[in-house]
Amino acid sequence: MAYLNENYLKLQAGYLFPEIGRRVQEFCAANPEAAKRLIRCGIGDVTEPLPPAAVSAMKKAVDELSVRETFRGYGHEQGGNFLRSKIAQLDYRDRGMEIADDEIFVSDGSKSDCGFILDVLGDRNRIAITDPVYPVYVDTNVMAGHTGPADESGRYEGIIYLPCRAENGFVPEPPNEQADIVYLCFPNNPTGAVATRAQLEKWVAYAQAHHALLLYDAAYEGYISEPGIPRSIFEIPGATECAVEFRSFSKTGGFTGVRCGFTVMTKQLLLQTSDGRELPLHRLWHRRWSTKTNSVSYPVQRGAEALYSPEGRQQVRGLIDYYMGNARILSAAAARAGLGVYGGKNAPYIWVRTPAGLTSWQMFDRMLHDLNVVITPGSGFGSEGEGYFRISAFNSRANAEEVARRLEAASFS
Ligand code: MLT
């Protein structure tokens, strides 16, 4: 008899986005006319074509592979040095953060890394997670057996939940209890909130005092426009000894389909063994990659490298500005519709209060059926997300403007 991983049986319903997809598909099948005017502002998936610099680099890489003289097989399991050195130099060292090339680990995206990281972390850690939250952090811990069952509100036994509410600007304070691992995401998905330097300093101080590890998801750092807001946890002194950072090319270079991201793990980061020794996590993470993967395809890594060229950087800037233009249009429309609006300033997500009396899923249905617009119900991100919904700004300008018109024309009273 072969046994399955029963931890999976503790998971709530389906993963949020496939579940939304299922409901939308059902709606479209039953309402073919309305389906024609459907606009998707649910999952944060990019709509605009890849930056030309990445396209030509990927084509050139394929050409290299097509002739004997320049053909390559396996690359470094941790990613090509050509890409790791660009990342370390341009994203970190040029901005005053001492990150070495071999502290960059290239992957197929930060979603994967957020799950993979559990391979090198122990099972007895107390996990703290913000609420609402990107569901991957919670679900991967459930799958790994780090939690008990969920209660009626969907909260899992054993997890420390850190409420993110309008009253705390959606940025939680460190808890008054021991957490060993804390997941933080700024700019935040789903709320669009950013953490100030002072707030991140508090988190680093907490990690130092509690020998905790911060898992910092900075997938949306490129969207920060406000001066003084840190774009990396490593801008905070001491973070190299207590944090791991995840980054992605999905929302900068439009790589949601191409797939590429990276993790920054410094060699100063030490974690404990059960017999009290302190060892670099880097050694385990390096070993994990050597054993389990052969990194990301060569053309994709060359495409990612091209995003760091002068043209690539300009084209990425253009994409971010485009989506943030949508965010402004959508935020303004939701506000004019009389709804409470948050986020959307340093992030491509707008976090909106549902009209009085409507739950998040009721608002999802209302938007789908009456406005033919797909949004993400806030409660899908955690119990503190109840009473909110998320509008993604990843869309064409024409669609963003049309959603804005429909929102303003709707009556939510
Ligand atoms: C989202 O919509 O929250 C994101 O697109 C999901 C992801 O990046 O995996």
Side-chain angles (χ1 to χ4, degrees):
M1 178 62 79
Y3 297 96
L4 50 73
N5 179 351
E6 290 186 36
N7 294 313
Y8 279 61
L9 308 182
K10 296 179 206 159
L11 292 166
Q12 308 287 290
Y15 181 59
L16 177 60
F17 295 107
E19 175 62 18
I20 290 173
R22 192 188 60 74
R23 290 182 185 220
V24 171
Q25 213 172 356
E26 248 174 47
F27 169 80
C28 290
N31 303 279
E33 274 315 301
K36 289 187 196 147
R37 61 192 294 274
L38 193 78
I39 301 180
R40 294 173 195 270
C41 296
I43 190 166
D45 195 3
V46 293
T47 54
E48 301 310 296
L50 292 173
V55 174
S56 55
M58 284 195 271
K59 284 184 179 163
K60 183 160 167 269
V62 172
D63 288 343
E64 271 180 55
L65 299 182
S66 67
V67 290
R68 180 171 300 279
E69 291 70 30
T70 48
F71 174 77
R72 306 174 173 230
Y74 292 128
H76 279 288
E77 296 92 349
Q78 290 74 20
N81 287 336
F82 59 88
L83 176 57
R84 298 171 85 192
S85 61
K86 285 271 168 27
I87 295 170
Q89 186 66 45
L90 279 97
D91 279 341
Y92 294 96
R93 293 195 291 268
D94 282 359
R95 294 178 178 169
M97 291 167 269
E98 269 321 302
I99 299 293
D101 297 357
D102 66 356
E103 294 175 329
I104 305 292
F105 293 77
V106 177
S107 74
D108 74 336
S110 56
K111 179 180 183 183
S112 312
D113 284 350
C114 290
F116 294 158
I117 194 73
L118 297 183
D119 278 6
V120 292
L121 299 175
D123 287 330
R124 55 190 233 198
N125 290 308
R126 202 83 212 284
I127 314 281
I129 290 182
T130 56
D131 182 3
V133 74
Y134 179 42
V136 173
Y137 316 147
V138 179
D139 286 6
T140 52
N141 275 288
V142 176
M143 290 169 175
H146 296 166
T147 73
D151 66 16
E152 271 166 23
S153 70
R155 288 186 160 198
Y156 290 93
E157 190 185 287
I159 289 184
I160 301 170
Y161 287 90
L162 308 168
C164 300
R165 302 179 176 137
E167 301 88 75
N168 61 9
F170 303 100
V171 180
E173 289 285 318
N176 294 322
E177 58 184 307
Q178 173 72 33
D180 304 307
I181 292 175
V182 182
Y183 286 81
L184 295 175
C185 170
F186 295 109
N188 188 260
N189 177 12
T191 66
V194 283
T196 62
R197 184 170 301 276
Q199 286 167 323
L200 292 180
E201 281 169 356
K202 272 196 191 173
W203 275 107
V204 169
Y206 174 89
Q208 288 170 329
H210 293 78
H211 301 284
L213 170 64
L214 305 180
L215 295 179
Y216 194 78
D217 185 347
Y220 298 92
E221 58 77 33
Y223 286 80
I224 295 175
S225 60
E226 209 173 311
I229 300 289
R231 295 173 63 163
S232 164
I233 190 68
F234 297 121
E235 289 183 39
I236 310 300
T240 48
E241 284 120 61
C242 64
V244 167
E245 181 160 288
F246 304 111
R247 292 244 190 138
S248 168
F249 297 110
S250 287
K251 314 293 162 83
T252 52
F255 272 31
T256 53
V258 174
R259 307 305 310 153
C260 197
F262 59 92
T263 290
V264 188
M265 186 177 291
T266 69
K267 293 191 279 290
Q268 296 102 288
L269 173 66
L270 306 179
L271 261 63
Q272 285 220 14
T273 60
S274 48
D275 60 8
R277 285 171 298 146
E278 291 201 320
L279 299 177
L281 194 62
H282 185 278
R283 199 188 298 165
L284 276 64
W285 189 235
H286 189 279
R287 185 71 164 78
R288 185 232 170 255
W289 284 91
S290 304
T291 300
K292 291 200 175 182
T293 85
N294 285 304
S295 191
V296 180
S297 85
Y298 176 66
V300 164
Q301 292 193 60
R302 283 293 186 195
E305 180 195 22
L307 300 176
Y308 289 92
S309 66
E311 321 76 78
R313 297 178 95 181
Q314 210 178 6
Q315 290 159 9
V316 165
R317 188 71 256 154
L319 282 173
I320 291 173
D321 289 347
Y322 182 83
Y323 293 126
M324 287 312 290
N326 290 347
R328 279 190 291 277
I329 291 167
L330 291 163
S331 298
R336 279 198 290 270
L339 302 170
V341 179
Y342 305 91
K345 292 200 173 79
N346 296 290
Y349 296 125
I350 300 133
W351 189 240
V352 190
R353 263 246 170 254
T354 56
L358 286 191
T359 66
S360 297
W361 276 108
Q362 284 167 342
M363 187 62 180
F364 171 86
D365 286 335
R366 178 93 188 265
M367 292 287 287
L368 182 60
H369 289 261
D370 298 356
L371 275 65
N372 305 139
V373 172
V374 182
I375 48 88
T376 308
S379 56
F381 296 105
S383 57
E384 293 287 343
E386 183 54 88
Y388 290 90
F389 66 102
R390 192 192 74 174
I391 309 178
S392 162
F394 291 111
N395 224 314
S396 65
R397 181 55 49 83
N399 275 350
E401 285 169 351
E402 177 58 22
V403 171
R405 269 192 292 276
R406 292 184 200 174
L407 271 172
E408 287 185 53
S411 158
F412 291 115
S413 50

